[in-house]
Amino acid sequence: MHIKSIKELELGAGDRVFIRCDFNVPLDEYGNITDDRRIRAALPTIRYCLDNDCKVVLASHLGRPKGYDPKYSLKPVAKRLHTLLKQEIIMAQDVVGEDAKSKAKKLQEGGVLLLENLRFEAGETKNDPEFAKELSQFGEFYINDAFGVSHRAHASVEAITRFYDKNHKAAGFLLLKEIKYLYKLLENPTRPFLAIVGGSKVSGKLGALINLLPKVDKMIIGGGMAFTFLKALGEEVGKSLVEDELIDEAKNILDEAAKLGVKLYLPVDFVVAPELSEDAPVKFVTFKEIPKDWMGLDIGLASTRLFREALNDVQTILWNGPMGVFEIDKFARGSIKLANYVAESYATKIIGGGDTASLISKAGVDDEMTFISTGGGASLELLEGKELPGIKALMVEDGQ
Ligand code: AMP
């Protein structure tokens, strides 16, 4: 089985192509886009269709509106697409309503129509086949280029694919790139392979930890989740984030790592504070000296140096989850230092989306990374070894 590429479709002049994009970009309080990476990442597929003189209909969700809400309109996305593509973007006032339909009908070769936020329609998240059928009327070809939602069985991702045969549906370039890096990484990494796993809780990353452990040569565990592991080793962690119910699970992971010969690293020092706040005083302590009423909110200098040593000889690095509360500058230094060390490495460097991607941006080392995933939740599910419904729906037998 393999996933069909957009290049294998016979797209021609005047063909109508429906592209599910992921334009779920962050907006500030004035509705300005603060990071357009996801829009830029979708351009190769859109341009490919335009170069083939297709009529292009774009669809995406933005945020989590429950029904119509102008705050979540895709109008700012249309504006940014216009700037990036340097051509008119026709904006529909609705998703599958009269306005969208009549604008789609009038669409010229090389024209681009953007539908309103898919989540203005309840059928989207319900994977409603009726709504999916209506969406499918916008194109005789269906392209999924929205990796960030491919782990969701939503109408524009899963149900819609039932209305196309194998010659009329495929993955766009961004989705293909995500699959290439993340799947191949898990199947056949160049060794030594190091996974850096961080973030807030063990519970959020447990599936990924278990799936990754037999595949990696080394693993670094940082962020809030490190404290459950330290507690499992009998250390005192003060008020740091700990999931007591997962201490046994943490012990199992430590035992399993030892059995498999995986070199597992935990932080050896921390930046601690009495509370999670910008104004809190901080101390730098080793893992043996976390004060009783303080909590670890970042890894310390000794940990970043230790992790740099562990990075030295690796050929592949996968990073998912920050080492501390990087949203607050005081607790961002450990993650940023590590990001710089990762940037310096000659290894293939794959960054899971979401928080880790924001962290890499904050560190200013985006360009040093081999690949930064656009999907936080989706990349995590892939790392957990789960099958993503949006990708499964586009699989065809080899030779087809
Ligand atoms: P996740 O969504 O599980 O990847 O977690 C990301 C979040 O983990 C970020 O928002 C960080 O602020 C948070 N985080 C990282 N380190 C810690 C820590 N030591 N204590 C509490 N939260 C943390």
Side-chain angles (χ1 to χ4, degrees):
M1 295 287 275
H2 74 287
I3 189 151
K4 199 152 187 154
S5 152
I6 181 170
K7 278 196 174 171
E8 294 172 67
L9 301 182
E10 288 183 22
L11 297 182
D15 286 339
R16 292 177 307 127
V17 186
F18 179 91
I19 311 178
R20 173 45 156 119
C21 299
D22 180 6
F23 294 146
N24 186 24
V25 289
L27 302 172
D28 67 14
E29 66 268 40
Y30 305 107
N32 298 307
I33 296 169
T34 53
D35 178 358
D36 68 357
R37 212 163 49 89
R38 283 180 162 167
I39 303 178
R40 283 183 284 116
L43 295 180
T45 298
I46 301 172
R47 286 206 177 104
Y48 179 81
C49 295
L50 295 175
D51 288 346
N52 278 287
D53 297 316
C54 298
K55 300 174 182 176
V56 176
V57 179
L58 305 175
S60 174
H61 76 288
L62 175 68
R64 294 180 171 185
K66 303 258 174 289
Y68 178 74
D69 182 345
K71 211 171 89 196
Y72 294 99
S73 168
L74 280 171
K75 280 178 194 146
V77 173
K79 218 165 158 188
R80 185 59 57 96
L81 273 172
H82 165 72
T83 310
L84 295 169
L85 285 170
K86 299 185 180 67
Q87 75 167 69
E88 186 192 4
I89 307 297
I90 301 163
M91 180 76 215
Q93 303 301 318
D94 46 30
V95 188
V96 288
E98 274 318 304
D99 191 62
K101 282 180 183 155
S102 81
K103 284 176 175 159
K105 213 179 250 171
K106 289 183 208 141
L107 202 58
Q108 304 287 311
E109 284 180 16
V112 179
L113 169 67
L114 175 62
L115 304 183
E116 252 306 0
N117 192 336
L118 287 163
R119 294 208 189 158
F120 287 173
E121 295 286 337
E124 169 63 359
T125 51
K126 290 187 181 134
N127 206 22
D128 175 17
E130 279 309 311
F131 175 58
K133 190 174 178 187
E134 289 217 62
L135 287 177
S136 73
Q137 310 292 316
F138 286 110
E140 56 256 20
F141 288 94
Y142 169 80
I143 304 295
N144 179 351
D145 213 18
F147 176 70
V149 281
S150 290
H151 59 313
R152 306 263 183 236
H154 287 175
S156 65
V157 176
E158 205 274 329
I160 190 170
T161 61
R162 300 176 210 157
F163 299 96
Y164 295 89
D165 65 25
K166 62 182 179 354
N167 297 321
H168 291 83
K169 59 182 169 189
F173 296 114
L174 174 61
L175 184 57
L176 290 168
K177 208 162 150 191
E178 296 270 4
I179 292 169
K180 173 178 150 198
Y181 280 111
L182 293 170
Y183 266 102
K184 297 265 160 70
L185 176 79
L186 296 178
E187 266 169 27
N188 197 14
T190 312
R191 295 187 181 279
F193 175 20
L194 163 73
I196 305 173
V197 188
S200 53
K201 292 184 172 177
V202 179
S203 49
K205 302 277 160 78
L206 192 59
L209 284 174
I210 291 171
N211 190 42
L212 282 172
L213 208 55
K215 302 186 196 308
V216 300
D217 301 289
K218 304 185 188 192
M219 185 178 275
I220 290 173
I221 295 180
M225 56 194 288
F227 299 104
T228 302
F229 283 87
L230 286 173
K231 197 150 179 204
L233 290 168
E235 303 297 340
E236 265 309 318
V237 297
K239 274 199 315 189
S240 307
L241 193 67
V242 168
E243 288 168 285
D244 285 317
E245 68 285 8
L246 289 179
I247 288 180
D248 284 341
E249 197 64 63
K251 278 185 193 151
N252 290 341
I253 290 172
L254 292 168
D255 288 347
E256 189 63 18
K259 248 188 256 158
L260 291 165
V262 172
K263 281 130 196 121
L264 199 147
Y265 294 87
L266 289 167
V268 290
D269 65 339
F270 293 98
V271 179
V272 295
E275 58 182 14
L276 175 51
S277 135
E278 244 165 83
D279 310 317
V282 296
K283 283 192 207 175
F284 304 89
V285 297
T286 74
F287 71 102
K288 290 278 180 196
E289 298 183 26
I290 300 175
K292 209 165 173 289
D293 291 326
W294 292 53
M295 57 179 87
L297 295 168
D298 191 12
I299 57 170
L301 257 186
S303 304
T304 52
R305 287 204 194 113
L306 170 71
F307 296 164
R308 176 160 69 164
E309 294 304 315
L311 283 178
N312 263 340
D313 64 335
V314 301
Q315 296 293 321
T316 308
I317 301 170
L318 166 69
W319 188 352
N320 193 306
M323 296 290 103
V325 182
F326 75 103
E327 297 91 339
I328 298 179
D329 286 346
K330 245 181 197 174
F331 309 118
R333 281 184 65 184
S335 299
I336 288 181
K337 264 204 169 317
L338 187 60
N340 280 291
Y341 295 148
V342 168
E344 279 169 17
S345 158
Y346 282 89
T348 300
K349 296 159 273 193
I350 314 288
I351 308 299
D355 282 326
T356 326
S358 313
L359 163 68
I360 297 298
S361 278
K362 186 163 176 158
V365 290
D366 312 55
D367 291 344
E368 306 293 331
M369 301 300 154
T370 314
F371 184 67
I372 303 177
S373 174
T374 53
S379 70
L380 191 62
E381 288 203 13
L382 260 190
L383 299 180
E384 287 169 359
K386 287 189 186 155
E387 206 170 41
L388 309 192
I391 292 177
K392 189 177 169 211
L394 298 176
M395 289 290 195
V396 291
E397 295 292 337
D398 288 340
Q400 290 194 332

